[in-house]
Amino acid sequence: MTRKALWLSATSAFLAVFTLGVHAEDRVINVFNWSDYIDSSIIDDFTKETGIKVVYDTFDSNEILETKLLAGGSGYDVVVPSGNFLARQIQAGVFQKLDRSKLPNISNMWDTVMERTAKYDPGNEYSINYMWGTVGIGYNIKKVQAALGTDKIDSWDMFFNPESLAKLKDCGVYVLDSPADIIPAALKYLGLDPNSTSPDEIAKAEETLLKVRPYIRKFHSSEYINALANGDICLAVGWSGDVFQARNRADEAKQGVEIGYSVPKEGAQMWFDQMAIPADAPHVAEAHEFLNYMMKPEVIAKSSNYVLYANGNKASQQFIDKAILEDPAIYPDAATLQKLYTVSPYDPKTQRIITRTWTKIVTGQ
Ligand code: N2P
């Protein structure tokens, strides 16, 4: 081989390897989603079908996600804030508008849910619903029966009344470490507007929570799934699907633990978790491919069947297990819907009050 020929073949070999390398590396997305929120086979299937590798991280708090998003440069391509947080993040310029031409499966989405999410994302320009659910009471049926003489939990009074919660102290009470979920519930229990921004009313909610604080073992937003399933606690204020996952884990373990979930009659919050693409996402095309894949009816149905939350995809309903679709605590019927309220994003001043209040509640001072 002449020198030139040698150089050429070396160069083309290098170029081939280099191009392949870059190509393989490029087809990646970084997803940041809630914990216990997907059947991981969905991620594997997505990679098999598209060649796009998924780096999947999890969180269990909107505040944690928000801190990363506001700092910028998170490196994430798809994130899943709840609607009330998404709304102010859109205002802050954190997200990019979705390119609908890359999302043909949007036709599968459910107008009833899109109408509700438009409250947070007008025109649904920045986000796609992933799952939605409620904040309610998960409980160990036998332990609650033993402590209270009833296993009928249909009221927030079970939790917010210090006399009743005191009886559950020893068997264990966990509460979501999430002010935007718990303070509205306290306001609702008090007969006040769950969206109140009045400092006096928020102070009343604080007082109510401080009275039950001595009976709460832990504030945490994901550990309650196993704690309920193992029989380590008897009550958790938590998210619907997580409690149902606890129920299924308990059933699988066959240790006699039975878990119930209540949407209290005074009213419960209905929330929407929305998939969105950060403005500075490194892999925008791949992120759209991921969103479009997640809107395939069979795919998102598989996710709901596993995580036990309702989704915002109408066409997926034919693939959802009958028991899930017909459970009014997952897909609410008209009577349950009547009891559900939504929350609005806090303005900066109210947010400061809420943050301060929450610190007092969690620390118990
Ligand atoms: C998933 C909980 C997500 C619900 N484990 C709160 N947005």
Side-chain angles (χ1 to χ4, degrees):
M1 222 184 261
T2 65
R3 230 196 236 183
K4 190 172 171 197
L6 195 67
W7 187 83
L8 270 180
S9 68
T11 318
S12 54
F14 172 77
L15 272 180
V17 170
F18 184 73
T19 329
L20 264 176
V22 164
H23 186 71
E25 229 173 75
D26 257 354
R27 302 295 281 168
V28 169
I29 47 164
N30 302 312
V31 176
F32 199 34
N33 195 2
W34 295 80
S35 51
D36 301 289
Y37 219 23
I38 200 159
D39 175 340
S40 60
S41 71
I42 291 172
I43 299 296
D44 300 338
D45 292 347
F46 171 75
T47 303
K48 264 183 235 146
E49 205 171 300
T50 62
I52 301 171
K53 204 179 137 230
V54 181
V55 180
Y56 193 88
D57 289 344
T58 60
F59 59 87
D60 67 3
S61 137
N62 271 306
E63 287 80 2
I64 290 178
L65 170 60
E66 184 162 88
T67 303
K68 291 204 191 231
L69 291 174
L70 293 179
S74 68
Y76 291 119
D77 299 300
V78 175
V79 296
V80 192
S82 304
N84 47 335
F85 283 78
L86 170 93
R88 64 188 191 191
Q89 290 157 1
I90 291 175
Q91 295 290 317
V94 161
F95 297 116
Q96 55 183 277
K97 280 196 186 158
L98 301 176
D99 180 350
R100 292 247 181 151
S101 71
K102 305 231 168 67
L103 303 170
N105 289 337
I106 211 159
S107 61
N108 297 321
M109 296 303 284
W110 190 2
D111 47 3
T112 310
V113 168
M114 285 181 91
E115 276 160 29
R116 293 195 177 238
T117 58
K119 168 179 167 174
Y120 303 110
D121 172 10
N124 290 283
E125 286 189 306
Y126 291 87
S127 70
I128 307 270
N129 180 253
Y130 178 60
M131 297 283 157
W132 51 280
T134 56
V135 182
I137 301 176
Y139 58 99
N140 182 313
I141 296 173
K142 288 183 201 153
K143 284 193 177 181
V144 165
Q145 167 74 43
L148 300 174
T150 177
D151 62 9
K152 189 166 181 286
I153 310 279
D154 63 355
S155 164
W156 280 118
D157 199 57
M158 172 68 44
F159 173 71
F160 286 113
N161 181 342
E163 271 170 43
S164 85
L165 205 67
K167 294 184 188 144
L168 300 176
K169 178 179 188 238
D170 290 341
C171 62
V173 174
Y174 278 20
V175 174
L176 293 173
D177 186 7
S178 177
D181 287 299
I182 303 301
I183 292 172
L187 289 164
K188 191 76 188 167
Y189 170 68
L190 295 171
L192 300 169
D193 176 3
N195 279 298
S196 176
T197 56
S198 144
D200 285 351
E201 295 186 352
I202 295 171
K204 285 190 184 128
E206 176 184 306
E207 201 185 305
T208 303
L209 279 155
L210 282 174
K211 282 197 191 126
V212 291
R213 177 64 186 92
Y215 315 119
I216 297 170
R217 191 181 292 170
K218 196 174 210 172
F219 287 86
H220 199 283
S221 299
S222 50
E223 284 179 4
Y224 65 99
I225 305 182
N226 280 334
L228 275 174
N230 298 338
D232 292 342
I233 59 173
C234 57
L235 187 141
V237 180
W239 294 305
S240 44
D242 289 13
V243 174
F244 292 122
Q245 289 178 54
R247 180 195 63 196
N248 286 5
R249 288 182 203 177
D251 290 350
E252 277 158 27
K254 296 197 176 70
Q255 297 298 313
V257 174
E258 286 171 41
I259 302 298
Y261 179 71
S262 161
V263 177
K265 60 176 184 230
E266 296 85 356
Q269 186 191 145
M270 176 188 209
W271 46 260
F272 299 86
D273 287 342
Q274 300 289 108
M275 298 185 282
I277 307 179
D280 58 3
H283 310 101
V284 176
E286 289 79 4
H288 280 87
E289 274 189 65
F290 183 78
L291 295 192
N292 198 46
Y293 185 81
M294 295 309 287
M295 288 190 287
K296 283 187 172 191
E298 307 87 317
V299 170
I300 196 68
K302 191 179 194 187
S303 198
S304 279
N305 287 337
Y306 186 86
V307 300
L308 305 166
Y309 285 102
N311 70 59
N313 188 307
K314 183 76 179 160
S316 76
Q317 292 182 5
Q318 56 180 311
F319 303 108
I320 292 190
D321 297 342
K322 215 165 167 252
I324 295 174
L325 202 58
E326 288 176 359
D327 187 336
I330 304 179
Y331 279 89
D333 52 10
T336 312
L337 260 183
Q338 283 271 316
K339 295 194 284 182
L340 304 180
Y341 62 84
T342 55
V343 295
S344 305
Y346 291 124
D347 61 84
K349 180 171 156 263
T350 308
Q351 180 62 58
R352 279 195 294 278
I353 299 175
I354 293 286
T355 305
R356 224 179 307 134
T357 296
W358 193 247
T359 306
K360 280 198 212 161
I361 294 163
V362 171
T363 60
Q365 293 154 19

